[in-house]
Amino acid sequence: DAVGMGLNLSVQRIIFTKLVKFCGESNAMKVLTASQAKQIAGRAGRRSSKFPKGLVSALSADDMKTLERLLDQRLRPNHLAGILPPFEQIEMFASLQPEETVNNLGSLFRAFARTAQLEDGLYFMCRTNDIEIMGKLLTQFTDMSLEEKYKFVIAPIDTTNRDVVLAFLQYVRLFSRNAPVSVGLRLPKPSSETYVHKLENCFKILSLYLWLSLRFPEEFAERERAERMLERCTHQIQVALEKLSPQNVQRRTVNLQSYIATPRQAKHRRNKS
Protein backbone atom coordinates (compact mmCIF):
# COMPACT_ATOMS: atom_id res chain seq x y z
CA ASP A 1 0.00 0.00 0.00
CA ALA A 2 2.85 2.39 0.73
CA VAL A 3 3.93 2.17 -2.90
CA GLY A 4 0.45 2.29 -4.38
CA MET A 5 -0.69 5.36 -2.43
CA GLY A 6 0.78 7.70 -5.02
CA LEU A 7 3.95 8.72 -3.22
CA ASN A 8 6.61 10.42 -5.33
CA LEU A 9 9.25 7.76 -4.81
CA SER A 10 12.60 7.70 -6.59
CA VAL A 11 12.98 3.95 -7.08
CA GLN A 12 14.25 1.88 -9.98
CA ARG A 13 12.75 -1.50 -9.15
CA ILE A 14 9.48 -2.70 -7.67
CA ILE A 15 9.48 -6.27 -6.29
CA PHE A 16 6.09 -7.76 -5.49
CA THR A 17 6.50 -9.90 -2.39
CA LYS A 18 2.97 -11.17 -2.90
CA LEU A 19 0.07 -10.46 -5.24
CA VAL A 20 -2.79 -10.62 -2.76
CA LYS A 21 -4.34 -7.82 -0.74
CA PHE A 22 -6.88 -7.72 2.05
CA CYS A 23 -10.34 -6.69 0.86
CA GLY A 24 -12.43 -5.01 3.54
CA GLU A 25 -15.73 -5.57 1.73
CA SER A 26 -15.37 -9.36 1.58
CA ASN A 27 -13.12 -9.60 4.68
CA ALA A 28 -10.77 -11.87 2.73
CA MET A 29 -7.51 -11.81 0.77
CA LYS A 30 -7.91 -11.19 -2.96
CA VAL A 31 -5.50 -11.20 -5.89
CA LEU A 32 -4.59 -7.72 -7.09
CA THR A 33 -6.53 -6.44 -10.05
CA ALA A 34 -4.70 -5.46 -13.22
CA SER A 35 -5.34 -1.81 -12.35
CA GLN A 36 -3.83 -2.17 -8.87
CA ALA A 37 -0.80 -4.10 -10.17
CA LYS A 38 -0.13 -1.46 -12.84
CA GLN A 39 -0.51 1.36 -10.34
CA ILE A 40 2.10 -0.15 -8.03
CA ALA A 41 4.42 -1.25 -10.86
CA GLY A 42 4.22 2.23 -12.36
CA ARG A 43 6.09 3.64 -9.36
CA ALA A 44 9.30 2.08 -10.68
CA GLY A 45 11.20 4.63 -12.73
CA ARG A 46 10.17 8.22 -13.17
CA ARG A 47 10.84 10.68 -15.92
CA SER A 48 13.44 13.36 -15.02
CA SER A 49 14.58 11.31 -12.02
CA LYS A 50 17.69 9.27 -11.26
CA PHE A 51 15.85 6.23 -12.62
CA PRO A 52 14.07 7.18 -15.87
CA LYS A 53 13.37 3.50 -16.63
CA GLY A 54 11.79 1.18 -14.10
CA LEU A 55 12.07 -2.56 -13.47
CA VAL A 56 9.35 -4.79 -12.07
CA SER A 57 9.64 -8.30 -10.67
CA ALA A 58 8.04 -10.73 -8.22
CA LEU A 59 9.54 -12.74 -5.40
CA SER A 60 8.29 -16.13 -6.58
CA ALA A 61 8.23 -17.66 -10.07
CA ASP A 62 4.48 -18.38 -9.84
CA ASP A 63 3.74 -14.79 -8.88
CA MET A 64 5.92 -13.61 -11.74
CA LYS A 65 3.71 -15.42 -14.24
CA THR A 66 0.60 -13.89 -12.65
CA LEU A 67 2.23 -10.46 -12.61
CA GLU A 68 3.12 -10.67 -16.30
CA ARG A 69 -0.48 -11.57 -17.07
CA LEU A 70 -1.81 -8.65 -15.01
CA LEU A 71 0.56 -6.14 -16.59
CA ASP A 72 -0.27 -7.35 -20.11
CA GLN A 73 -3.99 -7.19 -19.45
CA ARG A 74 -5.83 -4.31 -21.07
CA LEU A 75 -7.80 -2.21 -18.65
CA ARG A 76 -11.50 -1.98 -19.21
CA PRO A 77 -12.59 1.56 -20.04
CA ASN A 78 -14.75 3.31 -17.48
CA HIS A 79 -18.23 3.86 -18.85
CA LEU A 80 -19.72 5.22 -15.61
CA ALA A 81 -18.70 8.21 -13.51
CA GLY A 82 -19.03 8.04 -9.74
CA ILE A 83 -20.84 10.99 -8.16
CA LEU A 84 -21.92 12.14 -4.71
CA PRO A 85 -24.89 14.40 -3.99
CA PRO A 86 -23.98 17.96 -2.93
CA PHE A 87 -25.06 19.01 0.54
CA GLU A 88 -27.92 21.11 -0.81
CA GLN A 89 -29.60 17.99 -2.21
CA ILE A 90 -29.05 16.07 1.03
CA GLU A 91 -30.48 18.99 3.03
CA MET A 92 -33.57 19.18 0.83
CA PHE A 93 -34.05 15.41 0.99
CA ALA A 94 -33.62 15.45 4.79
CA SER A 95 -36.49 17.93 5.15
CA LEU A 96 -38.83 15.24 3.81
CA GLN A 97 -37.59 12.41 6.04
CA PRO A 98 -38.56 11.34 9.58
CA GLU A 99 -36.33 12.54 12.41
CA GLU A 100 -34.79 9.11 13.13
CA THR A 101 -33.56 8.92 9.52
CA VAL A 102 -32.12 12.44 9.58
CA ASN A 103 -30.28 11.81 12.86
CA ASN A 104 -28.47 8.85 11.31
CA LEU A 105 -26.60 10.25 8.32
CA GLY A 106 -25.79 6.73 7.16
CA SER A 107 -29.50 5.89 6.94
CA LEU A 108 -30.17 9.23 5.26
CA PHE A 109 -27.58 8.55 2.54
CA ARG A 110 -28.91 5.03 2.05
CA ALA A 111 -32.45 6.35 1.62
CA PHE A 112 -31.21 9.02 -0.78
CA ALA A 113 -29.29 6.47 -2.88
CA ARG A 114 -32.40 4.27 -3.16
CA THR A 115 -34.54 7.21 -4.22
CA ALA A 116 -32.14 9.10 -6.51
CA GLN A 117 -32.61 8.70 -10.25
CA LEU A 118 -29.36 8.67 -12.20
CA GLU A 119 -29.03 8.93 -15.94
CA ASP A 120 -28.67 5.36 -17.19
CA GLY A 121 -25.29 4.38 -18.54
CA LEU A 122 -23.46 7.49 -17.32
CA TYR A 123 -23.31 7.69 -13.52
CA PHE A 124 -23.38 5.65 -10.34
CA MET A 125 -23.55 6.64 -6.67
CA CYS A 126 -20.07 6.08 -5.27
CA ARG A 127 -18.72 5.39 -1.76
CA THR A 128 -22.17 4.58 -0.39
CA ASN A 129 -20.87 1.82 1.92
CA ASP A 130 -18.15 3.99 3.49
CA ILE A 131 -20.56 6.90 3.96
CA GLU A 132 -23.16 4.65 5.59
CA ILE A 133 -20.56 3.29 8.02
CA MET A 134 -19.17 6.70 8.97
CA GLY A 135 -22.61 8.29 9.07
CA LYS A 136 -23.77 5.71 11.59
CA LEU A 137 -20.70 6.34 13.77
CA LEU A 138 -21.45 10.06 13.83
CA THR A 139 -24.96 9.52 15.22
CA GLN A 140 -23.60 9.90 18.78
CA PHE A 141 -22.47 13.49 18.09
CA THR A 142 -25.83 15.19 18.49
CA ASP A 143 -24.43 18.74 18.77
CA MET A 144 -23.15 18.75 15.20
CA SER A 145 -25.18 20.17 12.35
CA LEU A 146 -26.18 18.11 9.34
CA GLU A 147 -23.80 20.08 7.15
CA GLU A 148 -20.87 19.49 9.51
CA LYS A 149 -21.56 15.76 9.58
CA TYR A 150 -21.87 15.73 5.79
CA LYS A 151 -18.40 17.27 5.38
CA PHE A 152 -16.91 14.66 7.70
CA VAL A 153 -18.51 11.58 6.14
CA ILE A 154 -17.42 12.46 2.58
CA ALA A 155 -13.78 12.66 3.74
CA PRO A 156 -11.43 10.22 1.97
CA ILE A 157 -11.10 7.52 4.61
CA ASP A 158 -10.40 3.79 4.55
CA THR A 159 -13.18 2.42 6.77
CA THR A 160 -11.41 -0.97 6.99
CA ASN A 161 -8.36 0.60 8.67
CA ARG A 162 -8.88 0.64 12.43
CA ASP A 163 -6.17 3.22 13.17
CA VAL A 164 -7.49 5.65 10.58
CA VAL A 165 -11.09 5.29 11.79
CA LEU A 166 -10.03 5.89 15.41
CA ALA A 167 -8.11 9.02 14.40
CA PHE A 168 -11.15 10.19 12.42
CA LEU A 169 -13.44 9.74 15.44
CA GLN A 170 -10.99 11.59 17.69
CA TYR A 171 -11.02 14.52 15.27
CA VAL A 172 -14.82 14.50 15.25
CA ARG A 173 -14.94 14.30 19.05
CA LEU A 174 -12.71 17.34 19.48
CA PHE A 175 -14.59 19.24 16.79
CA SER A 176 -17.97 18.52 18.41
CA ARG A 177 -16.67 19.96 21.70
CA ASN A 178 -15.58 23.19 19.95
CA ALA A 179 -12.02 22.35 20.95
CA PRO A 180 -8.97 22.95 18.72
CA VAL A 181 -8.32 19.84 16.67
CA SER A 182 -4.64 18.93 16.89
CA VAL A 183 -2.90 16.44 14.63
CA GLY A 184 -2.43 14.14 17.63
CA LEU A 185 0.07 11.91 15.87
CA ARG A 186 3.69 10.80 16.22
CA LEU A 187 5.69 9.16 13.49
CA PRO A 188 6.90 5.67 14.48
CA LYS A 189 10.51 4.84 15.28
CA PRO A 190 12.47 2.70 12.77
CA SER A 191 12.98 0.05 15.45
CA SER A 192 9.29 -0.88 15.27
CA GLU A 193 8.64 -4.34 13.81
CA THR A 194 5.68 -2.98 11.81
CA TYR A 195 7.45 0.26 10.89
CA VAL A 196 6.37 0.57 7.25
CA HIS A 197 2.78 -0.40 8.05
CA LYS A 198 2.63 2.27 10.77
CA LEU A 199 4.08 4.85 8.37
CA GLU A 200 1.34 3.98 5.87
CA ASN A 201 -1.30 4.63 8.51
CA CYS A 202 0.37 7.92 9.47
CA PHE A 203 0.34 8.98 5.83
CA LYS A 204 -3.38 8.26 5.58
CA ILE A 205 -4.20 10.04 8.87
CA LEU A 206 -2.15 13.12 7.95
CA SER A 207 -3.79 13.24 4.52
CA LEU A 208 -7.18 13.05 6.24
CA TYR A 209 -6.26 15.89 8.61
CA LEU A 210 -5.14 18.10 5.72
CA TRP A 211 -8.35 17.35 3.81
CA LEU A 212 -10.46 18.32 6.81
CA SER A 213 -8.38 21.45 7.42
CA LEU A 214 -9.55 22.76 4.05
CA ARG A 215 -13.19 22.34 5.13
CA PHE A 216 -12.70 23.55 8.72
CA PRO A 217 -9.62 25.83 8.67
CA GLU A 218 -10.30 27.46 12.04
CA GLU A 219 -10.79 24.22 13.98
CA PHE A 220 -8.07 22.22 12.18
CA ALA A 221 -5.44 24.88 12.76
CA GLU A 222 -2.29 22.70 12.64
CA ARG A 223 -2.24 22.48 8.86
CA GLU A 224 1.38 23.62 8.50
CA ARG A 225 2.53 21.10 11.11
CA ALA A 226 0.59 18.34 9.34
CA GLU A 227 2.21 19.29 6.02
CA ARG A 228 5.69 19.09 7.55
CA MET A 229 4.89 15.74 9.15
CA LEU A 230 3.54 14.43 5.85
CA GLU A 231 6.80 15.39 4.11
CA ARG A 232 8.80 13.59 6.81
CA CYS A 233 6.50 10.58 6.61
CA THR A 234 6.89 10.38 2.83
CA HIS A 235 10.67 10.59 3.16
CA GLN A 236 10.76 7.90 5.85
CA ILE A 237 8.63 5.58 3.71
CA GLN A 238 11.05 6.05 0.82
CA VAL A 239 14.05 5.32 3.05
CA ALA A 240 12.34 2.24 4.49
CA LEU A 241 11.54 0.91 1.03
CA GLU A 242 15.10 1.51 -0.15
CA LYS A 243 16.29 -0.75 2.68
CA LEU A 244 14.34 -3.55 1.07
CA SER A 245 16.55 -3.41 -2.04
CA PRO A 246 18.34 -6.70 -2.91
CA GLN A 247 21.74 -5.01 -2.50
CA ASN A 248 21.09 -3.91 1.07
CA VAL A 249 19.49 -7.19 2.00
CA GLN A 250 22.46 -9.13 0.63
CA ARG A 251 24.88 -6.80 2.43
CA ARG A 252 23.26 -7.74 5.69
CA THR A 253 23.46 -11.44 4.78
CA VAL A 254 19.71 -11.69 5.16
CA ASN A 255 17.72 -12.95 2.20
CA LEU A 256 14.60 -11.11 1.10
CA GLN A 257 12.29 -13.87 2.29
CA SER A 258 13.56 -13.49 5.84
CA TYR A 259 13.48 -9.70 5.70
CA ILE A 260 9.79 -9.56 4.83
CA ALA A 261 8.77 -12.37 7.16
CA THR A 262 6.20 -11.67 9.82
CA PRO A 263 7.69 -10.75 13.22
CA ARG A 264 6.90 -14.21 14.60
CA GLN A 265 8.51 -15.98 11.61
CA ALA A 266 11.57 -13.74 11.73
CA LYS A 267 12.03 -14.36 15.47
CA HIS A 268 11.73 -18.11 14.91
CA ARG A 269 14.39 -18.03 12.19
CA ARG A 270 16.77 -16.01 14.35
CA ASN A 271 16.36 -18.50 17.20
CA LYS A 272 17.07 -21.42 14.90
CA SER A 273 20.24 -19.79 13.63
Side-chain angles (χ1 to χ4, degrees), residues 29 31-32 37 71 77 91 98 110 131 140 142 160 167 178 180-181 183-184 190 205 213-214 223-224 231 251 261-262:
M29 302 297 288
V31 177
L32 294 177
L71 296 181
E91 185 179 37
R110 183 169 61 250
I131 290 175
Q140 59 183 300
T142 56
T160 65
N178 294 319
V181 184
V183 175
I205 293 170
S213 72
L214 295 175
R223 176 175 178 80
E224 292 184 359
E231 289 180 3
R251 190 179 303 132
T262 62

Side-chain angles (χ1 to χ4, degrees), residues 1-9 11 14 39-44 196 200 237 241:
D1 278 355
V3 178
M5 281 190 295
L7 302 177
N8 291 322
L9 301 174
V11 295
I14 295 293
Q39 181 181 12
I40 297 171
R43 300 296 162 194
V196 176
E200 290 176 12
I237 289 176
L241 293 175

Side-chain angles (χ1 to χ4, degrees), residues 97-161:
Q97 303 303 309
E99 185 177 356
E100 59 267 22
T101 301
V102 177
N103 291 338
N104 186 334
L105 194 53
S107 298
L108 184 64
F109 259 91
R110 183 169 61 250
F112 183 92
R114 285 200 306 260
T115 308
Q117 295 181 350
L118 303 179
E119 191 169 350
D120 290 340
L122 291 178
Y123 305 102
F124 71 95
M125 198 79 71
C126 64
R127 298 191 57 219
T128 53
N129 288 338
D130 286 347
I131 290 175
E132 285 184 29
I133 293 172
M134 302 315 297
K136 184 177 180 180
L137 289 176
L138 294 191
T139 304
Q140 59 183 300
F141 302 102
T142 56
D143 293 335
M144 293 174 61
S145 69
L146 182 64
E147 184 174 8
E148 289 170 341
K149 288 184 178 181
Y150 171 86
K151 289 180 180 179
F152 272 99
V153 298
I154 65 171
I157 179 173
D158 179 5
T159 56
T160 65
N161 189 311

Side-chain angles (χ1 to χ4, degrees), residues 37-262:
K38 290 185 178 187
Q39 181 181 12
I40 297 171
R43 300 296 162 194
R46 187 173 291 273
R47 185 182 300 174
S48 302
S49 74
K50 189 167 75 171
F51 307 111
K53 293 185 179 180
L55 303 171
V56 181
S57 184
L59 197 57
S60 73
D62 290 340
D63 279 349
M64 190 64 202
K65 294 178 183 178
T66 304
L67 179 60
E68 290 175 345
R69 176 178 57 80
L70 291 173
L71 296 181
D72 289 338
Q73 186 175 324
R74 296 187 64 179
L75 299 179
R76 283 185 275 179
N78 290 325
H79 297 292
L80 300 177
I83 59 174
L84 277 177
F87 173 71
E88 291 74 18
Q89 291 185 358
I90 291 295
E91 185 179 37
M92 185 181 300
F93 183 75
S95 67
L96 305 174
Q97 303 303 309
E99 185 177 356
E100 59 267 22
T101 301
V102 177
N103 291 338
N104 186 334
L105 194 53
S107 298
L108 184 64
F109 259 91
R110 183 169 61 250
F112 183 92
R114 285 200 306 260
T115 308
Q117 295 181 350
L118 303 179
E119 191 169 350
D120 290 340
L122 291 178
Y123 305 102
F124 71 95
M125 198 79 71
C126 64
R127 298 191 57 219
T128 53
N129 288 338
D130 286 347
I131 290 175
E132 285 184 29
I133 293 172
M134 302 315 297
K136 184 177 180 180
L137 289 176
L138 294 191
T139 304
Q140 59 183 300
F141 302 102
T142 56
D143 293 335
M144 293 174 61
S145 69
L146 182 64
E147 184 174 8
E148 289 170 341
K149 288 184 178 181
Y150 171 86
K151 289 180 180 179
F152 272 99
V153 298
I154 65 171
I157 179 173
D158 179 5
T159 56
T160 65
N161 189 311
R162 179 178 177 274
D163 291 339
V164 177
V165 172
L166 290 177
F168 172 85
L169 290 176
Q170 177 63 11
Y171 292 156
V172 177
R173 190 171 293 108
L174 291 171
F175 179 89
S176 67
R177 296 172 181 168
N178 294 319
V181 184
S182 60
V183 175
L185 186 70
R186 290 185 179 180
L187 298 182
K189 296 182 179 180
S191 58
S192 170
E193 291 181 330
T194 54
Y195 178 55
V196 176
H197 175 68
K198 289 181 178 178
L199 283 175
E200 290 176 12
N201 287 345
C202 288
F203 184 93
K204 294 176 181 179
I205 293 170
L206 290 167
S207 298
L208 170 65
Y209 185 95
L210 290 171
W211 190 94
L212 290 169
S213 72
L214 295 175
R215 277 75 188 171
F216 306 103
E218 293 185 4
E219 293 81 358
F220 288 76
E222 294 187 350
R223 176 175 178 80
E224 292 184 359
R225 178 169 180 255
E227 288 175 340
R228 292 194 299 269
M229 290 184 67
L230 188 65
E231 289 180 3
R232 284 170 48 207
C233 183
T234 303
H235 174 71
Q236 288 179 221
I237 289 176
Q238 180 168 343
V239 171
L241 293 175
E242 287 173 352
K243 291 181 179 180
L244 288 174
S245 67
Q247 293 87 349
N248 285 341
V249 174
Q250 185 177 11
R251 190 179 303 132
R252 297 177 185 183
T253 65
V254 180
N255 62 49
L256 191 56
Q257 287 278 19
S258 298
Y259 192 87
I260 65 167
T262 62

